[in-house]
Amino acid sequence: MDKEMIISSYNSVVEIALLEDKKLVELHKQKANTQYNVGDVFLGQVKKLMPGLNAAFVDIGHKKESFLHYTDMGPQLASVMKYSNEVSSGTFNHQLLDQFELQADINKNGKVAQVIDKKQNLLVQILKEPISTKGHRLSCEITIPGRFLVLTPFMNSIAISKKIANTEERNRLFHLIESIRPKNFGVVVRTAAEGKKVAELHEEINSLAEKWKLIFNQMYKAKPPIKLLSELDKTSSLIRDLLNPSFSKIITNDREIYEGIKLYLHNNLPEKIDIVQFYKGSKPIYDALGVKKQIKSSFGQTSTLPSGAYIVIEHTEAMHVIDVNSGPKSPKVDQDTAALQVNIEAAEEISRQLRLRDIGGIIIIDFIDMRNNDHKAELYKRMKEFMENDRSQHTILPLSKFGLMQITRQREKPEVKINTAETCPSCSGTGKTNPSVLLVDQIERDLDFIFQTRPPKDIRLVVHPFVYSFLSKGIWKYQRKWFFKYHKWVKLKEDQDMPMIQFAFFDGPHEEIKL
């Protein structure tokens, strides 16, 4: 799979677009002055206990108190509390944990009031960004991530990525990490560590241990709330977590980001340093590289598929509901096969939309009804394949007897919402219409359907004069492009009475082709 990352920086806002096989699959935005990022570590103070929710509210310095649920406190909570108290009071003065005595694990089914007190100093890490009226979600299970390894304090376990399937390699990594990890630190071995030499892994463990020392130094005799460690900015963290040999391009219009990425690649993946490019064009980078057009076509309530089918995405208070419709251009096959084809095409687009919009919670998909049980099993299998590249935790259930598919998906940040409707030029802003940049795509999609299903003797396209000028300009005008594709000349006619973003096809002088 070919992957590209396009990074646009303007007015202290950085936008990151991730493309897979030229298709936009993720969109991230970060303001330069953001003080609270997922992964940041704080010394906070417990402000309220909520026995009914089995949770606590913690002050980390944000205007909204952050939420810490019992299940996110982790089994090692007693060790975390002891360490937080002793370091912030100055009674423990060792930078690493080799002199620290770990405490017994707490009961995983216990109650918050049994394990924690109000005004307790607590080492916490941001797990999720604020969503709607909720503050940050926190965890006491601290992780310090690197490219190959993740350091987990107050543990002595080693976990190896399930994607490393080779038994010999898993054993090699286990024994290697066991010999070099610091005492009372657990390690998670990431997929990228496969095949790496001991020197590289030892260097990264030392680097992650230095970050823990920085946490200790910031926390020593400190009063909460205080930030102890900042996660990398979103650009660097995405590169650290995602970059693999399938990446073909990283393009940015910001010189500082460009130099930073080159330095990161030089230190970690020198063989990939040539994929970084600095954009110098006069047009905005998203416009020049086609990202803006994809954003316009991907967001909105309805998303149209190449076959003419479409999906409708509705957001309710409790869940997201997605409806799949075949549209007027059904494939020329039997009904069961046509339903399967449309459903599989919709499933691929839905998996992309979930990542792109970062839709979380409960998602209900109403696919086109299928009677064949083999087809239902095939759709379930393909949906799981399409969701494999989704880094968020998710669970997919097979189709129910009502033909509904249920998905739960974890979300770490607010859902991405972009209004793609433009003010209608025909009604001076009293209504809304689809983006004008997609008009040519709609024309070409209908042309494809006409020539595949009922090739006419003569075909005429009637459009507004402005659209006529656009389609017929230049040596390589659209008519010539269509002629080479369909081997038939499409006549263009302008009509002043035609709304600017509408068009019509005619077979002969007066017979309109109805789609």
Side-chain angles (χ1 to χ4, degrees):
M1 183 179 291
D2 185 47
K3 293 185 180 181
E4 298 176 35
M5 189 182 290
I6 315 296
I7 305 166
S8 170
S9 177
Y10 63 94
N11 296 336
S12 76
V13 175
V14 177
E15 285 190 335
I16 305 155
L18 185 65
L19 282 70
E20 292 179 355
D21 293 332
K22 303 295 181 183
K23 270 191 173 183
L24 181 66
V25 293
E26 289 185 30
L27 198 61
H28 302 267
K29 182 182 282 190
Q30 182 182 29
K31 293 182 180 177
N33 58 356
T34 302
Q35 297 296 312
Y36 300 86
N37 295 319
V38 171
D40 286 355
V41 179
F42 290 81
L43 177 64
Q45 188 174 68
V46 177
K47 288 297 180 184
K48 280 184 251 177
L49 298 181
M50 304 294 289
L53 298 174
N54 206 17
F57 284 98
V58 181
D59 178 20
I60 61 170
H62 192 258
K63 59 183 178 182
K64 288 181 184 175
E65 289 176 350
S66 302
F67 183 77
L68 176 64
H69 193 268
Y70 187 90
T71 54
D72 294 320
M73 292 177 182
Q76 299 81 29
L77 177 67
S79 297
V80 175
M81 288 195 300
K82 181 185 177 188
Y83 185 81
S84 303
N85 288 333
E86 291 184 358
V87 176
S88 60
S89 65
T91 56
F92 184 81
N93 54 13
H94 299 276
Q95 290 186 314
L96 293 178
L97 299 176
D98 49 333
Q99 302 295 318
F100 183 76
E101 185 180 345
L102 295 183
Q103 304 298 295
D105 290 356
I106 63 170
N107 180 3
K108 65 178 181 180
N109 297 317
K111 302 296 181 185
V112 65
Q114 298 170 347
V115 296
I116 204 167
D117 297 318
K118 196 175 174 183
K119 294 190 177 179
Q120 164 74 50
N121 290 354
L122 204 54
L123 188 64
V124 291
Q125 188 169 33
I126 294 181
L127 200 61
K128 290 185 182 179
E129 293 179 13
I131 297 173
S132 186
T133 57
K134 303 172 184 175
H136 294 87
R137 184 156 184 169
L138 303 178
S139 171
C140 291
E141 296 185 276
I142 309 300
T143 59
I144 306 174
R147 172 151 175 74
F148 307 124
L149 308 169
V150 180
L151 206 60
T152 55
F154 311 110
M155 299 174 70
N156 279 300
S157 60
I158 297 174
I160 299 175
S161 168
K162 291 178 181 177
K163 291 183 180 179
I164 301 177
N166 186 288
T167 306
E168 289 184 10
E169 177 63 8
R170 292 178 69 87
N171 289 335
R172 181 188 77 90
L173 288 169
F174 181 87
H175 291 105
L176 192 158
I177 298 301
E178 182 62 50
S179 66
I180 61 176
R181 71 175 178 86
K183 185 181 177 183
N184 291 336
F185 283 93
V187 175
V188 177
V189 181
R190 307 181 80 164
T191 310
E194 188 170 12
K196 297 300 175 186
K197 296 177 181 177
V198 62
E200 292 177 274
L201 300 179
H202 195 217
E203 183 182 351
E204 180 151 289
I205 277 204
N206 289 338
S207 170
L208 299 177
E210 287 299 318
K211 288 187 178 182
W212 179 256
K213 291 177 183 178
L214 181 62
I215 289 175
F216 169 84
N217 293 335
Q218 291 277 90
M219 190 175 170
Y220 190 67
K221 293 186 177 179
K223 290 185 178 180
I226 180 174
K227 182 189 280 191
L228 305 174
L229 183 71
S230 284
E231 170 63 300
L232 296 168
D233 62 80
K234 191 156 279 186
T235 310
S236 302
S237 61
L238 277 173
I239 290 170
R240 179 195 67 201
D241 294 342
L242 297 178
L243 196 58
N244 58 46
S246 65
F247 260 89
S248 59
K249 274 184 201 168
I250 300 175
I251 308 173
T252 180
N253 61 350
D254 185 282
R255 177 64 69 177
E256 188 177 339
I257 292 175
Y258 170 75
E259 296 295 345
I261 293 173
K262 285 199 79 168
L263 180 62
Y264 178 87
L265 292 176
H266 181 267
N267 293 333
N268 294 279
L269 280 170
E271 69 276 11
K272 302 293 289 184
I273 198 165
D274 293 334
I275 68 173
V276 190
Q277 299 174 18
F278 181 68
Y279 176 76
K280 299 178 181 177
S282 55
K283 289 175 71 176
I285 185 170
Y286 275 10
D287 289 359
L289 300 177
V291 175
K292 187 173 181 181
K293 186 174 181 180
Q294 288 207 50
I295 292 172
K296 288 277 189 182
S297 63
S298 299
F299 288 87
Q301 189 180 32
T302 303
S303 179
T304 305
L305 309 175
S307 68
Y310 62 95
I311 61 174
V312 181
I313 303 172
E314 293 273 5
H315 180 202
T316 72
E317 185 67 27
M319 66 186 73
H320 283 79
V321 183
I322 303 175
D323 186 33
V324 178
N325 296 281
S326 60
K329 308 169 191 174
S330 299
K332 286 188 171 181
V333 289
D334 63 272
Q335 187 176 348
D336 282 353
T337 307
L340 177 63
Q341 287 178 7
V342 171
N343 282 340
I344 288 175
E345 184 185 25
E348 184 174 12
E349 176 63 15
I350 289 167
S351 69
R352 184 179 80 98
Q353 289 285 346
L354 297 184
R355 288 176 68 189
L356 184 59
R357 303 182 188 216
D358 200 19
I359 294 174
I362 301 171
I363 301 122
I364 306 293
I365 307 170
D366 182 12
F367 284 107
I368 297 170
D369 287 342
M370 296 185 297
R371 296 178 183 176
N372 188 313
N373 287 330
D374 289 340
H375 287 179
K376 291 180 180 180
E378 174 69 12
L379 176 61
Y380 174 59
K381 176 188 167 189
R382 297 295 295 275
M383 189 70 191
K384 290 201 292 185
E385 289 172 1
F386 294 141
M387 293 286 286
E388 278 179 358
N389 290 326
D390 193 336
R391 291 176 295 131
S392 292
Q393 290 183 11
H394 57 270
T395 303
I396 305 169
L397 298 183
L399 289 167
S400 71
K401 64 180 180 180
F402 297 123
L404 303 176
M405 181 176 285
Q406 301 168 67
I407 299 176
T408 60
R409 184 177 181 276
Q410 188 181 30
R411 179 175 64 184
E412 292 184 356
K413 60 187 177 69
E415 180 187 341
V416 179
K417 293 182 180 178
I418 298 176
N419 184 10
T420 60
E422 296 178 354
T423 303
C424 176
S426 301
C427 61
S428 302
T430 59
K432 295 285 183 182
T433 182
N434 288 330
S436 57
V437 72
L438 303 178
L439 181 64
V440 175
D441 289 356
Q442 293 170 4
I443 292 172
E444 292 185 333
R445 203 156 42 223
D446 287 353
L447 261 180
D448 272 340
F449 181 70
I450 289 169
F451 281 114
Q452 285 174 18
T453 56
R454 45 177 291 187
K457 234 178 186 182
D458 296 303
I459 185 166
R460 194 156 45 95
L461 173 60
V462 180
V463 293
H464 186 275
F466 287 175
V467 181
Y468 175 87
S469 299
F470 176 77
L471 293 174
S472 58
K473 70 178 180 179
I475 298 174
W476 288 103
K477 54 190 177 183
Y478 281 89
Q479 281 174 296
R480 188 168 277 113
K481 172 186 165 186
W482 295 335
F483 179 76
F484 283 119
K485 184 174 182 180
Y486 304 113
H487 306 294
K488 196 175 284 285
W489 190 258
V490 179
K491 296 174 184 175
L492 281 180
K493 185 182 177 184
E494 52 186 320
D495 183 352
Q496 284 280 7
D497 296 329
M498 180 70 71
M500 189 183 296
I501 54 169
Q502 289 185 19
F503 56 90
F505 289 103
F506 288 85
D507 183 358
H510 302 297
E511 187 181 347
E512 184 177 353
I513 301 173
K514 297 285 188 181
L515 297 177

